[in-house]
Amino acid sequence: MNKKIIISQSIMWAAAILVVSIVEEKEFAVLMLVILATTSLITLRKGNE
């Protein structure tokens, strides 16, 4: 796997963990998790092609 993809994946998941721990509103935290997970999966698929 490309180093850039691995670094971007690490940053996205770290951001997801931080969002969940900082944000008190559950709806916003879930929305951010969904957005970050979707972006992460799209990035992984593009990297595998």
Side-chain angles (χ1 to χ4, degrees):
M1 229 186 231
N2 191 353
K3 269 190 170 183
K4 290 181 182 180
I5 293 173
I6 294 172
I7 292 171
S8 69
Q9 292 297 309
S10 300
I11 291 170
M12 281 187 238
W13 287 110
I17 292 169
L18 286 173
V19 163
V20 170
S21 65
I22 292 173
V23 175
E24 293 181 14
E25 296 178 25
K26 298 263 183 196
E27 293 173 1
F28 181 72
V30 170
L31 175 65
M32 290 305 294
L33 281 175
V34 169
I35 290 171
L36 289 168
T38 303
T39 307
S40 175
L41 290 173
I42 290 170
T43 305
L44 277 175
R45 283 189 182 177
K46 285 184 180 178
N48 288 335
E49 292 179 353

